[in-house]
Amino acid sequence: DAERKLVATYRRQFAGADGELRSAAKTLGVFAIQYVRGETAYSDTERDHHAQLIGALAQWAQGAPLADSAKARAAIGQERILVNCAGTGNAIKTASRSKEDGSIKHFPLDAFNWIIQINLVGTFNVLRLVAVEMARNGREENGVIVNTASVAAFDGQIGQAAYAASKGGVVGMTLPMARELARFGIRVMTIAPGIVETPMLATVSEEFREGLAKGVPFPQRLARPDEYAQLALSIIDHDYLNGEVIRMDGSLRMAPR
């Protein structure tokens, strides 16, 4: 029944997409249900295939209309889980010397605000809207919210002033929001990942990726997206976890550069 509702929802959600993309959405959704139920494993082949599907869907979604939340709730019920993942970054120093004329340039404020708006304000905006809907469930336990920060919140590197500030903001609001939403039976947790194999790393060379992996004490490799998902699921299942930030980084501590 869950799969039937999911497929029906995807058909509405991706009505403007071609058949191949609608099929991709269905494949990912059904797999997510099976994975949560423990009915399937996550092989390397499946991981690569799903990464390609997600990339295609993300590219299409950039020009797609936003989903109608009321229709989505009518189709599959009130959301009780929110996993906030959207984010971006840049590499700009607070003050830097121009290679052209030697002058000292400042960090463009627009570039700083852009990162804050997406990573911090965007996270809070989605959270505040969903929290109200969760609170209306009227149950003892109404939902769980998992935000995404970064180890940069603690170990920000040179050129990461905006990114570190945005993720530090996500870390900083975790406890107060957990305290505020406790009366409504809503938990708030944050995951602070280290270096994860995401599309943001797709443009770098294999040599560069290997260099990043060598900086991780153990296991000496980059984290996988499904490991983030596993941790999120563990947080969702463990109802005594609340108001805390969990680092998922292989004990990595980022160097200044």
Side-chain angles (χ1 to χ4, degrees):
D1 184 60
E3 291 179 9
R4 179 185 59 78
K5 288 183 178 180
L6 181 68
V7 172
T9 302
Y10 275 135
R11 283 175 178 165
R12 285 189 291 272
Q13 174 73 18
F14 293 94
D18 60 30
E20 185 177 350
L21 286 179
R22 288 198 299 271
S23 176
K26 174 182 174 182
T27 298
L28 288 168
V30 171
F31 179 86
I33 289 175
Q34 294 172 339
Y35 185 73
V36 170
R37 290 175 177 170
E39 296 172 358
T40 185
Y42 207 168
S43 68
D44 289 341
T45 301
E46 286 171 325
R47 183 180 300 112
D48 293 342
H49 177 57
H50 291 160
Q52 293 174 358
L53 295 181
I54 291 169
L57 287 169
Q59 186 175 17
W60 175 83
Q62 289 178 358
L66 293 176
D68 187 323
S69 58
K71 290 181 180 179
R73 290 188 184 104
I76 61 176
Q78 171 60 46
E79 64 268 33
R80 297 186 64 195
I81 298 169
L82 168 63
V83 181
N84 256 327
C85 287
T88 188
N90 59 26
I92 305 175
K93 297 177 182 178
T94 305
S96 58
R97 191 175 297 278
S98 170
K99 294 181 179 179
E100 286 75 24
D101 58 13
S103 62
I104 299 177
K105 303 180 295 181
H106 56 66
F107 195 134
L109 190 57
D110 286 347
F112 188 91
N113 284 334
W114 174 250
I115 301 301
I116 297 297
Q117 285 295 316
I118 294 175
N119 296 0
L120 179 56
V121 178
T123 294
F124 179 76
N125 188 41
V126 174
L127 184 151
R128 73 182 180 92
L129 296 173
V130 171
V132 169
E133 298 300 325
M134 285 181 176
R136 290 172 178 161
N137 282 327
R139 304 175 182 178
E140 182 178 354
E141 296 182 9
N142 287 316
V144 55
I145 296 168
V146 181
N147 294 321
T148 306
S150 166
V151 295
F154 311 99
D155 312 326
Q157 295 183 294
I158 291 173
Q160 286 190 326
Y163 185 72
S166 68
K167 295 303 186 178
V170 174
V171 168
M173 66 184 182
T174 299
L175 180 58
M177 288 190 299
R179 288 171 165 171
E180 292 166 2
L181 297 177
R183 62 180 297 189
F184 300 109
I186 300 171
R187 294 185 292 119
V188 181
M189 289 287 293
T190 293
I191 298 174
I195 307 173
V196 185
E197 291 191 62
T198 66
M200 291 179 68
L201 287 179
T203 58
V204 304
S205 67
E206 185 61 31
E207 182 180 2
F208 183 77
R209 289 158 61 91
E210 290 176 359
L212 291 175
K214 288 179 180 178
V216 181
F218 186 80
Q220 200 168 76
R221 58 171 175 78
L222 304 184
R224 300 188 304 267
D226 63 284
E227 291 175 315
Y228 175 97
Q230 289 171 2
L231 180 52
L233 288 172
S234 296
I235 291 170
I236 292 164
D237 288 338
H238 198 313
D239 64 6
Y240 208 67
L241 288 176
N242 193 17
E244 187 55 89
V245 179
I246 299 177
R247 291 181 66 135
M248 189 193 82
D249 57 17
S251 78
L252 172 70
R253 297 299 181 266
M254 302 291 286
R257 296 180 184 274

